[in-house]
Amino acid sequence: MGGGVLCIKHAVATCSRNGDRHMAEHMATNYLSFAQQSPSRANGGGGNGVSPGAAREAGGGGLGLGVAPRGGPGRPEERAAAAQKYNLRVEDYEPLPDDGLGYGDYPKLPDRSQQDRDPYYSWDQSDLRRNHGEPLHWDFDMYLRTRVDTTPTMLPWHTMRNCLLGFVGFMLFMFGLGEMYPSYQPVGPKQYPYNNLYLESGGDPNQEPPKVTHYEI
């Protein structure tokens, strides 16, 4: 078996241990289509390719598609079966758009980060804030608690922006006004002891120093 199958088996086994059977099936199915279309690349450049049976073995069996899934379910009974497969209600199920990447019937889940989920709920997997059997978002790694946070802010973004711009604009206006019309606190002459430091300033010790008054009554 080629190195590609070993890699996909390892990834599928990891997903299976985490209870993500649906994601594991999609990974194995997509690799199966890739192996059939380009055997040499799928096998790491050796040219031997990967047989469909090997890819099915990597996915744990039960795939039976032979090609990458294209498009979501169209008929109502197909949508109901797909919703049941992913533990979703029919009215909540919507497949990902068919853009050629082989999403198949995988559901389009809300773009909501784990940080946005209730931290006080008793989750089956508290570190990821998800329950057993709950389908993963296709871009699951982007919405981890250490990545994108979609938690809504206390105030709308435009309100915070307007407050910031208003504060900065007001402060710039006040700084400009202060430069145009400077204003300072009134300051009196400095007072020194010993008759305003008469001797220290070079006064004649034989003469009576002049009397300095710093106030009026």
Side-chain angles (χ1 to χ4, degrees):
M1 217 181 298
V5 173
L6 296 180
C7 293
I8 194 64
K9 287 187 69 176
H10 176 72
V12 170
T14 302
C15 291
S16 300
R17 285 195 301 269
N18 294 334
D20 305 325
R21 179 178 58 85
H22 307 308
M23 182 67 77
E25 290 183 357
H26 273 275
M27 292 171 61
T29 305
N30 292 343
Y31 186 79
L32 170 63
S33 174
F34 178 73
Q36 290 180 334
Q37 295 174 9
S38 181
S40 60
R41 290 171 57 192
N43 198 39
N48 295 329
V50 179
S51 65
R56 292 192 183 93
E57 178 186 354
L63 298 179
L65 297 178
V67 293
R70 298 298 302 272
R75 293 179 297 180
E77 56 270 18
E78 293 177 347
R79 293 181 62 90
Q84 182 179 7
K85 180 173 66 172
Y86 295 110
N87 297 324
L88 297 173
R89 298 185 305 175
V90 178
E91 53 268 25
D92 295 337
Y93 172 74
E94 179 184 356
L96 287 167
D98 183 16
D99 55 2
L101 295 180
Y103 295 137
D105 60 356
Y106 203 79
K108 180 182 178 181
L109 302 176
D111 296 335
R112 185 182 181 190
S113 64
Q114 295 176 354
Q115 192 69 25
D116 192 12
R117 291 192 163 195
D118 187 3
Y120 303 105
Y121 179 78
S122 181
W123 300 100
D124 293 337
Q125 194 170 1
S126 58
D127 57 331
L128 298 180
R129 292 182 182 176
R130 62 185 297 266
N131 291 323
H132 178 74
E134 180 181 356
L136 288 173
H137 193 283
W138 187 266
D139 296 318
F140 167 75
D141 56 339
M142 188 174 71
Y143 293 103
L144 295 174
R145 295 171 63 184
T146 55
R147 303 294 177 83
V148 177
D149 185 8
T150 60
T151 305
T153 56
M154 297 181 62
L155 294 174
W157 183 86
H158 66 275
T159 301
M160 297 188 290
R161 177 201 60 193
N162 294 340
C163 290
L164 176 62
L165 294 180
F167 173 77
V168 173
F170 175 76
M171 294 303 298
L172 291 177
F173 171 77
M174 294 302 295
F175 288 146
L177 198 64
E179 289 292 332
M180 295 173 58
Y181 305 100
S183 176
Y184 304 98
Q185 292 288 340
V187 179
K190 181 67 176 179
Q191 301 180 23
Y192 296 98
Y194 306 110
N195 295 316
N196 203 22
L197 298 178
Y198 174 75
L199 296 178
E200 287 78 358
S201 301
D204 188 354
N206 298 322
Q207 295 183 3
E208 186 71 19
K211 186 176 181 180
V212 180
T213 303
H214 297 284
Y215 59 91
E216 295 180 0
I217 298 177

